[in-house]
Amino acid sequence: MQQMLTLELQIAERAKKFNNEPLTNLSQYITTDLLHQSYQELNKYSSAGVDGQTWFDYGLHASENLPVLLNRFKAGSYTAPHIRRVYIPKGKTGKRPLGIPTIEDKVLQSSVRKVLDPVYETIFKDFSYGFRKNRSCHQAIEEMFQKVSFGNMRYIIDADIQNYFGSINHGIIREFLDLRVKDGVVRKMLDKWMKAGILEDEQLIYPKEGTPQGGIVSPLLSNIYLHYVLDEWFSEVIQPLLKGKSFLVRYADDFVMGFEYLEDTKRVFEVLNKRFSKYALTIHPEKTKIIDLNKNDRGNRSFDFLGFTHFLGRTRKGKLVLKRKTSTKKLTIALTKVGDWIKRHRHEKLAVLISQLNVKLRGHYSYYGITFNLRCLKQFHRQVERQLFKWLNRRGGKRVWQWERYTKLINEWNPLLKPRIYHSYLSAKPV
């Protein structure tokens, strides 16, 4: 760990020293030790890639494989293997594509990213939170809370980028990379990863645009793209031209803009799509809109961001602040998932069933347990209680649990985890 910190510091110092120049010879920092560290940090139980090799399989010969991998990488003879594409649930009926590289490819991607991260951390904006070390969704929400509540920026542009990860233009991302990285070995490898074939239903596709979600280096590339398209443009070109205060908070491809004056909001709204079109991206015309948080219009005084619905409300002391609650969509999805899980596992022993259910509850509370959202947490808890009661009474074909006895079970005998706030607005910390 100490060695990795030293490496990060060395690269960061070099990046700061040559702030306006592209860096060369970054591949020298990728060593067998770094590859081994990257391997150890991978999820041991992650899915296998197209070669069917698991983390444990690769580890049997890691000491022989890693030096060979390093030589192939530096010689330019390493070929990015095909990416296995699967689909994971998104919403009630939708699905999201996920690319699964091989274990060896993950090791190399992770090592290259470890070298590139310090380079870009020196230029990334403070209001960018996604896929960055020591930054979290809750910090992004906290910054937005502060700007709206105490900065009086109540006009919001709630934007949505259509198919962002699948739309990144390879030619444009190469031009952006040219500004900071010109190491031939690293750049050649990044090109190979962007053009790697995707295997889906035994059909091989070679993408001409986009970065596959699931790759370790893809989040960094997506951040670099939006840094130049959005972050730098907004902070260095747009903000100096505005009449009043403004802010931008971005997490990956989700972002929110806030303004003090409606006039500024409309001006930015009008040029936003033109800006994104210039870089082969599309702003969703129906999902992108201006929100006036001061309005009494119920349908146009709130917006969703990072799983929460945000709206103006009064504190106990009467101050008007930006409050939040679990979005209806996310709450419905979470309840459906938990209900289905209880149904499938209802025949487990009670102690095991409730213990595993508590793990799921803790995961929900740890994300959604944020100031002003206790009511939604309690609602989620009540619905889970009812789901559990329903399916416990369908375990043997007859009703065996009365409500009074059941409440003793979940409150005394095998307590169901109660909701609580994990993230206070007084101190937003990384999870």
Side-chain angles (χ1 to χ4, degrees), residues 119-372:
V119 174
Y120 284 98
E121 281 299 316
T122 61
I123 65 169
F124 281 165
K125 303 296 182 181
D126 286 340
F127 53 74
S128 167
Y129 289 90
F131 308 127
R132 294 178 64 187
K133 192 175 180 181
N134 296 325
R135 286 171 174 261
S136 71
C137 295
H138 299 101
Q139 289 175 310
I141 292 169
E142 170 67 10
E143 178 170 347
M144 189 172 63
F145 167 81
Q146 295 287 341
K147 299 289 187 183
V148 174
S149 301
F150 310 120
N152 201 34
M153 289 171 261
R154 308 286 170 81
Y155 297 101
I156 302 294
I157 294 180
D158 179 19
D160 183 85
I161 308 174
Q162 286 185 335
N163 186 29
Y164 172 62
F165 291 94
S167 301
I168 292 175
N169 184 284
H170 289 178
I172 295 174
I173 188 66
R174 289 188 191 103
E175 291 177 9
F176 289 154
L177 287 166
D178 282 343
L179 299 173
R180 294 300 290 150
V181 178
K182 280 200 173 177
D183 181 293
V185 177
V186 172
R187 289 296 302 275
K188 187 183 290 187
M189 198 62 248
L190 291 175
D191 267 352
K192 289 179 180 180
W193 280 323
M194 285 191 285
K195 294 185 289 187
I198 297 173
L199 188 65
E200 180 181 348
D201 295 330
E202 298 184 356
Q203 288 190 340
L204 192 59
I205 305 166
Y206 288 95
K208 294 182 179 179
E209 57 187 19
T211 61
Q213 295 184 61
I216 294 175
V217 82
S218 295
L220 175 62
L221 293 176
S222 68
N223 259 345
I224 293 169
Y225 204 82
L226 276 184
H227 168 77
Y228 291 108
V229 173
L230 176 63
D231 301 355
E232 198 172 73
W233 170 73
F234 184 77
S235 62
E236 297 177 18
V237 178
I238 295 299
Q239 281 188 310
L241 301 176
L242 299 179
K243 180 182 176 182
K245 295 180 291 184
S246 61
F247 74 85
L248 167 64
V249 172
R250 180 172 69 83
Y251 192 95
D253 61 325
D254 291 330
F255 67 94
V256 168
M257 294 173 166
F259 305 86
E260 186 178 4
Y261 298 118
L262 181 58
E263 177 188 347
D264 287 339
T265 314
K266 289 179 177 178
R267 287 174 63 196
V268 175
F269 188 81
E270 287 173 2
V271 300
L272 197 58
N273 194 48
K274 293 178 184 177
R275 174 66 182 180
F276 277 76
S277 297
K278 182 180 177 181
Y279 295 96
L281 298 175
T282 304
I283 294 291
H284 200 298
E286 295 175 3
K287 294 182 179 179
T288 302
K289 54 191 175 182
I290 293 175
I291 305 292
D292 182 355
L293 293 174
N294 293 305
K295 275 191 173 182
N296 291 322
D297 177 11
R298 190 183 253 319
N300 196 33
R301 63 176 184 182
S302 65
F303 62 96
D304 287 357
F305 182 58
L306 299 180
F308 294 89
T309 297
H310 303 266
F311 58 95
L312 281 186
R314 294 198 178 275
T315 65
R316 292 178 180 176
K317 295 182 178 179
K319 293 182 179 179
L320 203 59
V321 297
L322 187 69
K323 291 191 170 184
R324 52 264 176 151
K325 63 180 181 179
T326 310
S327 73
T328 303
K329 178 182 174 182
K330 295 295 185 182
L331 184 60
T332 302
I333 291 170
L335 286 170
T336 301
K337 283 183 177 179
V338 172
D340 290 343
W341 184 87
I342 295 172
K343 180 181 177 181
R344 292 195 308 271
H345 294 84
R346 65 186 184 274
H347 294 297
E348 298 270 6
K349 290 183 178 179
L350 271 177
V352 174
L353 176 65
I354 293 178
S355 175
Q356 293 176 345
L357 184 55
N358 278 338
V359 172
K360 297 186 175 298
L361 288 172
R362 186 175 291 108
H364 185 87
Y365 300 155
S366 68
Y367 184 78
Y368 291 102
I370 190 168
T371 306
F372 306 124

